Amino acid sequence: MSFLKSISIAAAVAFLSPAQLSAQTQQVREAPEHHQHSADSDIQTLQQMRRGGNVIFFRHERTDVMRRDDPLIDLTDCSTQRNLSVAGVANSVQTGDYIRILDIPIDEVLSSPVCRSFETARLAFGRVEVGDGLFSDWNTDTRDGPTRAQDFRSLVTRSLTPGRNVVMVGHFPGGQYYGVHLEEGDAIILTSDGNGGSQMVGVIGAHRWGD
């Protein structure tokens, strides 16, 4: 079952009577174990996003694999960069549509200045600002890996506000800093760990948003 199918069911569950909810719960209990785990985790992720207090970090959507960034990209000139493919454009729009259908509140949308990230955010949410700390030039950034990870995690923690969701769109290292490899279009849900830091509470694969 795809993420959107299962959380669409979860959205409907919110309107069930106690008797209907009990029957729905029994169906989940009788399902194969791996289906139970998927449905339970998807419902919990949806509930977390609806409550707010999260950073939803996306790796940019699918890109044209036949094109590489120029050795010295110009952040003001998309022609020097690897950009979204036709599928990436369509998926960005679809992801934004589903988030609105599922009534997940989005307060702020931040992006790396690289065109493939900025366009992912713009197409999905209709608004975007360039966010500090979401892009580093590998040619000039002298920080080591642990420092980059700490800086990014600190950025996430500073962005966490109870009741508000902040979307960040960036690049694959964002997932690595939380121990996850993100494919293009994948998202991770990050929230407070209760100790002044942040933790990951869910992953939504790109292939699951539109299935």
Side-chain angles (χ1 to χ4, degrees), residues 167-179:
V167 166
M168 295 182 180
V169 183
H171 307 272
F172 73 90
Q176 291 181 331
Y177 300 148
Y178 286 87

Side-chain angles (χ1 to χ4, degrees), residues 15-176:
F15 299 98
L16 296 179
S17 68
Q20 291 171 318
L21 183 57
S22 176
Q24 181 71 27
T25 302
Q26 185 61 34
Q27 289 179 14
V28 170
R29 288 172 177 165
E30 293 171 356
E33 184 175 352
H34 68 282
H35 285 174
Q36 290 182 34
H37 175 76
S38 177
D40 287 347
S41 61
D42 288 346
I43 290 171
Q44 290 169 3
T45 300
L46 172 63
Q47 291 172 335
Q48 178 64 40
M49 288 190 289
R50 282 184 165 172
R51 282 194 295 269
N54 309 293
V55 166
I56 305 172
F57 177 85
F58 288 86
R59 183 180 177 187
H60 59 75
E61 255 296 348
R62 298 179 191 177
T63 56
D64 179 1
V65 296
M66 302 302 292
R67 173 72 164 91
R68 297 182 66 86
D69 289 326
D70 288 355
L72 296 175
I73 68 171
D74 181 349
L75 294 177
T76 66
D77 184 357
C78 294
S79 70
T80 68
Q81 305 172 32
R82 186 178 88 252
N83 295 311
L84 295 183
S85 64
V86 173
V89 169
N91 289 350
S92 298
V93 173
Q94 187 177 60
T95 294
D97 287 343
Y98 275 116
I99 286 174
R100 286 182 285 275
I101 289 169
L102 292 167
D103 198 28
I104 297 169
I106 302 298
D107 295 277
E108 189 174 11
V109 181
L110 304 174
S111 172
S112 154
V114 177
C115 293
R116 53 185 173 268
S117 294
F118 194 88
E119 284 299 291
T120 296
R122 184 186 66 82
L123 290 166
F125 302 102
R127 54 193 169 89
V128 58
E129 298 178 10
V130 172
D132 293 336
L134 293 176
F135 170 74
S136 61
D137 187 335
W138 298 102
N139 295 311
T140 59
D141 192 342
T142 60
R143 294 174 299 167
D144 60 19
T147 301
R148 288 176 179 163
Q150 183 56 50
D151 288 349
F152 182 79
R153 293 177 72 101
S154 294
L155 170 66
V156 169
T157 300
R158 292 195 304 271
S159 301
L160 294 172
T161 305
R164 300 178 76 250
N165 286 324
V166 175
V167 166
M168 295 182 180
V169 183
H171 307 272
F172 73 90
Q176 291 181 331

